[in-house]
């Protein structure tokens, strides 16, 4: 049966919390007692690239020891059930856990811990290796940076546009594990609502997007995801 029920999701740090990755808000905008300015802005990188790399290398090493949890696995299962062309995952996370759970075509709005870019020749490459020399160097001699989107930096245009188009055209928008504060990612839920999609949330707490939601599961993503999948399968023919 050709399924044309379209689901789009926006996930945030909360979906990786049960995998052991600290959330962003959980530290009140501080990360491992560094200010965001110091470690997650181009200014901070320019000022002290070594500190920024120590922060990111620590997160890369930690993230590699983490496993996808039931929340990530549930979304990958939903793609299998409805067809990956009908379930789009846009994530603010940089940990790669959606992909490791088997999800396809994940839109990484804020880049990835597993890609680096040379600030001189701009070459971007995948890297799962740990760098013993920090900051690491490109073969061209230029300095490498994590290929993530820092505060004050533009999101990758094509990726954001794709996430925007899927928000516009979906029947159901799932907001999972995000405080909904960081823009323009959070605006995708408003786009979906404006184009008539139902918006459902999974978050133990209220978020800045709760006001858009017809349904909210005040639970951890890993505990709620199977219920949400059942709910989707029971209502998909009514949309
Ligand atoms: C841009 C990559 C413009 C790096 C990240 C003033 C000055 C400058 C900029 C701004 C400003 N005011 C606003 C801005 C814009 C700024 C912004 O939004 N700031 C916020 C803080 C107000 N945005 C930007 O700067 C963006 N760029 O605007 O550029 C521009 C335009 C054109 C040309 C040039 C420039 C770039 C934003 C991207 C920043 N990069 N990450 C890295 O990760 O190392 S953002 C960072 O925060 C992470 O990606 C994280 O995912 C994200 C957002 O946080 P959440 O994912 O929501 O996580 P959070 O901890 O907040 O919430 C977790 C939630 O999960 C909670 O609700 C919790 O209850 C819930 N939860 C907990 N456990 C669970 C759970 N849910 C389910 N299950 C559980 N078990
Ligand atoms: Zn280079």
């Amino acid at each position: 049966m050709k399924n044309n029920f379209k689901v789009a999701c926006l996930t945030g740090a909360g979906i990786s919390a049960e995998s052991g990755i600290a959330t962003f808000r959980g530290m009140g905008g501080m990360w491992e007692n560094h200010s965001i300015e110091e470690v997650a802005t181009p200014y901070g990188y320019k000022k002290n690239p070594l500190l920024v790399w120590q922060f990111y290398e620590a997160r890369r090493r930690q993230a590699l020891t983490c496993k996808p949890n039931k929340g990530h696995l549930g979304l990958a299962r939903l793609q299998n059930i409805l067809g990956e062309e009908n379930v789009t995952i846009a994530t603010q996370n940089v940990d790669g856990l959606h992909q490791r759970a088997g999800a396809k075509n994940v839109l990484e709005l804020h880049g990835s811990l597993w890609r680096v870019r040379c600030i001189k020749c701009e070459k971007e490459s995948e890297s799962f290796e740990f760098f013993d020399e920090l900051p690491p160097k490109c073969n061209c001699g230029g300095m490498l940076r994590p290929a993530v989107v820092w505060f004050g930096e533009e999101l990758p245009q094509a990726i954001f546009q794709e996430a925007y188009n899927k928000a516009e055209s979906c029947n159901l928008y799932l907001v999972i594990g995000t405080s909904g504060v960081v823009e323009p990612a959070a605006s995708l839920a408003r786009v979906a609502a404006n184009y008539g999609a139902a918006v459902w949330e999974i978050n133990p707490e209220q978020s800045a997007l709760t006001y858009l939601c017809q349904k909210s599961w005040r639970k951890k993503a890993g505990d709620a995801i199977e219920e949400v999948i059942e709910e989707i399968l029971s209502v998909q023919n009514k949309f």
Side-chain angles (χ1 to χ4, degrees):
M1 178 202 44
K2 181 95 188 77
N3 167 48
N4 56 9
F5 182 71
K6 304 272 183 213
V7 179
C9 322
L10 174 68
T11 67
I15 199 169
S16 293
E18 292 152 89
S19 296
I21 295 190
T23 65
F24 172 74
R25 284 277 166 286
M27 293 156 277
M30 289 295 286
W31 256 325
E32 326 280 325
N33 50 31
H34 292 300
S35 81
I36 301 302
E37 183 83 6
E38 269 180 315
V39 293
T41 63
Y43 163 79
Y45 176 75
K46 207 170 161 67
K47 192 166 148 255
N48 190 339
L50 178 58
L51 175 69
V52 172
W53 263 109
Q54 285 164 340
F55 172 69
Y56 276 91
E57 192 59 1
R59 287 178 66 202
R60 291 170 86 240
R61 288 171 188 260
Q62 199 243 350
L64 217 52
T65 64
C66 300
K67 303 234 175 327
N69 65 60
K70 286 186 293 180
H72 301 108
L73 295 164
L75 287 183
R77 191 167 88 83
L78 186 64
Q79 279 190 329
N80 288 337
I81 297 169
L82 296 183
E84 62 192 57
E85 70 285 0
N86 296 312
V87 181
T88 302
I89 301 167
T91 188
Q92 299 171 86
N93 302 338
V94 296
D95 55 37
L97 288 176
H98 281 298
Q99 294 91 321
R100 283 175 53 199
K104 301 280 184 289
N105 319 317
V106 176
L107 301 172
E108 292 182 310
L109 301 170
H110 293 162
S112 169
L113 286 176
W114 312 115
R115 283 199 302 279
V116 291
R117 186 168 66 243
C118 173
I119 58 173
K120 196 167 154 204
C121 70
E122 303 264 308
K123 189 165 142 306
E124 188 159 313
S125 53
E126 205 170 49
S127 162
F128 293 92
E129 65 169 292
F130 291 136
F131 300 107
D132 23 42
E133 183 222 351
L134 294 179
K137 291 277 184 331
C138 170
N139 304 336
C140 81
M143 202 189 302
L144 293 174
R145 59 164 281 179
V148 298
V149 179
W150 282 323
F151 287 99
E153 291 189 316
E154 208 175 348
L155 275 60
Q157 288 265 348
I159 291 178
F160 185 73
Q161 189 57 55
E162 172 73 0
Y164 188 100
N165 298 344
K166 296 293 186 183
E168 258 184 347
S169 57
C170 70
N171 301 99
L172 173 63
Y173 202 77
L174 296 180
V175 176
I176 307 178
T178 182
S179 56
V181 170
V182 172
E183 297 295 351
S187 66
L188 293 167
R190 284 187 281 277
V191 168
N194 292 343
Y195 278 84
V199 183
W200 296 356
E201 177 176 49
I202 305 178
N203 192 327
E205 296 167 16
Q206 295 236 17
S207 76
L209 299 172
T210 300
Y211 77 99
L212 288 169
C213 299
Q214 288 78 30
K215 289 180 192 258
S216 289
W217 281 261
R218 287 282 166 258
K219 290 185 176 179
K220 293 181 176 181
D223 297 339
I225 194 69
E226 287 308 321
E227 278 173 51
V228 175
I229 292 174
E230 289 318 308
E231 183 80 5
I232 290 171
L233 298 181
S234 69
V235 303
Q236 64 166 324
N237 303 319
K238 290 186 199 125
F239 275 75

